[in-house]
Amino acid sequence: MTILRLSVALFLLQAGFHAYTASLPLALARAGAPDASIGLIMGVAAVVQIPGAIAGGRLLDAFGGARLFIIAGLAYVAAAAILLLPGTDPAAGLAPFVVARVLQGAGLGLALPAALSMVPRLVPAMRQAASLAYIGAAHNVALMIMPALSIAIMNSSSLRGVDVLVVGMVLAGLLLSRRLPTRDPEPSGTTGMAAASRRFGITYRREWTAPLVIVVLYVAHWGVVTSYLPIRAEAAGADIGLFFAADGISIVAMRLVTGSLVGRFSLRLLILVGAGMTAASLGLLLLPLTTPILLLCGLLGGTGGAIVMTPITIELSRRSADADRGSAFALFSGGLAAAMTIGSIGGAPIVALFGMGTGLVAGIAMILVAMVLTAVNRPLAEPVLTGAEPVVVPVQAEVP
């Protein structure tokens, strides 16, 4: 019941970000903003997460996930409030949208790692793999529901209708997350793991490197997809809302399944299979866009994404202790942000000069590199224990 509460609260909070995933670029495009400007505005949120991951990890370790979860929600509310201010309109200027995206990026950089870091202190070790999968699924439910819902609301009213909905949902999520029964953190030195290194206030374990690099390479394509696919789909007369809905449905369904699959198959195999499916879905997007193609790509890509991301979060959790798990998940969020920055902002000149197809090909190439790194990483082939004892990965050198 506790994990259910946290999952629902996270879903409500993440509406503060995913309600704008498709509606904001469409609103900007309808107001006449050029593609490159839209990509830069959408990518600002990811840029903020990168330095925020460093500061956020330290704050998570020091103050805990529950407090940072509240800060994330307040950032989302502030972003929506800015967009509700009189005179805020894409035709009048883009500055308010940049500020709002900065706040949304700050919220996204804290909300998911805060929720993930709370899981090991809410459930026993034997339930952590499944619980991490449920939290990830809740995050993805927002991606499944909010783009289509926000487009419908924007079409029937305006972007301000989306803003009002976001404020209500985020405040409800904050109320639901209050007073969760977390246990006290384990004292340092009792976990069987060496202490994490701390330099310039930054906490880091060498064991985190491989999963984080794989995340960046794998997720980079999503920056291209979220920034440019809604515009291209609308121009082709295809329903982009169904793409995001299909992606979210398949992610949620597979997230719930992968929580049990990690006890039967190696994380390496799961990541390779999921990444291959995602690369195939991007290949389909190179075809002329139609609603059936978008639907198929959403289902295939979402399934692959769930198969990849659940093992990554489990691997980061088992390579961490209570004292530094917040930093691990904050860096995970920072890795997602870096990937989105590469795809949206880094992909802006590529898309402007050569078209979205070239950006998708670049994303496929990066996924293939991630698959190679996964294949040569020995610790990812180790079995994940699902018994009552916590999983401890010894500190050792590894092939990234």
Side-chain angles (χ1 to χ4, degrees):
M1 190 65 180
T2 300
I3 289 297
L4 178 61
R5 270 184 61 194
L6 181 58
S7 298
V8 175
L10 180 62
F11 158 70
L12 292 170
L13 229 67
Q14 296 303 68
F17 188 87
H18 290 302
Y20 300 98
T21 298
S23 63
L24 186 54
L26 286 178
L28 294 171
R30 291 172 184 177
D35 287 358
S37 296
I38 294 172
L40 291 172
I41 290 171
M42 296 303 293
V44 163
V47 173
V48 172
Q49 287 180 256
I50 299 173
I54 298 174
R58 192 73 177 116
L59 292 172
L60 279 168
D61 292 340
F63 299 106
R67 292 186 178 93
L68 272 296
F69 196 80
I70 294 173
I71 298 300
L74 294 178
Y76 285 144
V77 171
I82 287 174
L83 297 180
L84 281 169
L85 290 174
T88 301
D89 185 88
L94 300 179
F97 298 91
V98 173
V99 176
R101 288 299 286 174
V102 168
L103 290 168
Q104 289 168 6
L108 187 65
L110 291 175
L112 181 59
L116 290 170
S117 68
M118 293 167 66
V119 169
R121 295 177 56 192
L122 288 170
V123 299
M126 67 180 67
R127 292 177 52 201
Q128 287 180 17
S131 297
L132 287 168
Y134 296 153
I135 295 299
H139 170 75
N140 294 123
V141 168
L143 176 61
M144 174 181 70
I145 294 176
M146 295 312 301
L149 178 60
S150 63
I151 290 174
I153 291 174
M154 185 175 69
N155 289 339
S156 63
S157 58
S158 68
L159 190 62
R160 293 180 184 276
V162 177
D163 302 329
V164 172
L165 176 67
V166 164
V167 171
M169 292 183 70
V170 172
L171 291 178
L174 289 176
L175 289 175
L176 193 60
S177 69
R178 298 295 293 154
R179 300 175 186 258
L180 289 170
T182 56
R183 65 167 175 79
D184 293 332
E186 296 175 349
S188 300
T190 63
T191 62
M193 302 180 71
S197 63
R198 296 182 186 271
R199 295 181 181 178
F200 309 108
I202 303 172
T203 303
Y204 191 77
R205 289 185 182 274
R206 184 173 54 183
E207 293 81 9
W208 298 343
T209 302
L212 292 175
V213 172
I214 291 169
V215 162
V216 172
L217 291 169
Y218 170 74
V219 177
H221 72 276
W222 195 242
V224 176
V225 170
T226 55
S227 295
Y228 306 108
L229 187 60
I231 302 168
R232 296 292 179 267
E234 185 174 57
D239 190 340
I240 188 61
L242 285 179
F243 168 82
F244 285 111
D247 183 89
I249 289 171
S250 57
I251 286 179
V252 171
M254 284 306 301
R255 282 274 197 180
L256 302 178
V257 173
T258 51
S260 61
L261 290 179
V262 295
R264 303 177 184 178
F265 304 97
S266 72
L267 300 184
R268 174 192 284 174
L269 177 60
L270 292 175
I271 293 172
L272 289 174
V273 170
M277 295 176 68
T278 302
S281 73
L282 292 181
L284 290 175
L285 289 178
L286 296 173
L287 300 173
L289 295 181
T290 63
T291 296
I293 286 179
L294 288 179
L295 185 62
L296 177 59
C297 290
L299 291 172
L300 188 61
T303 300
I307 296 174
V308 170
M309 301 309 288
T310 296
I312 291 292
T313 55
I314 291 171
E315 185 67 4
L316 285 172
S317 181
R318 74 171 183 169
R319 296 187 186 197
S320 309
D322 281 352
D324 54 55
R325 189 169 285 112
S327 287
F329 285 126
L331 290 173
F332 169 73
S333 178
L336 295 176
M340 291 293 290
T341 302
I342 292 171
S344 59
I345 296 180
I350 295 176
V351 173
L353 292 174
F354 306 107
M356 191 183 74
T358 303
L360 293 175
V361 170
I364 293 172
M366 296 183 75
I367 290 175
L368 294 178
V369 175
M371 294 175 69
V372 172
L373 293 179
T374 300
V376 301
N377 184 259
R378 288 193 299 271
L380 287 173
E382 297 173 3
V384 175
L385 303 179
T386 56
E389 295 300 319
V391 179
V392 176
V393 177
V395 178
Q396 60 183 2
E398 63 178 49
V399 179

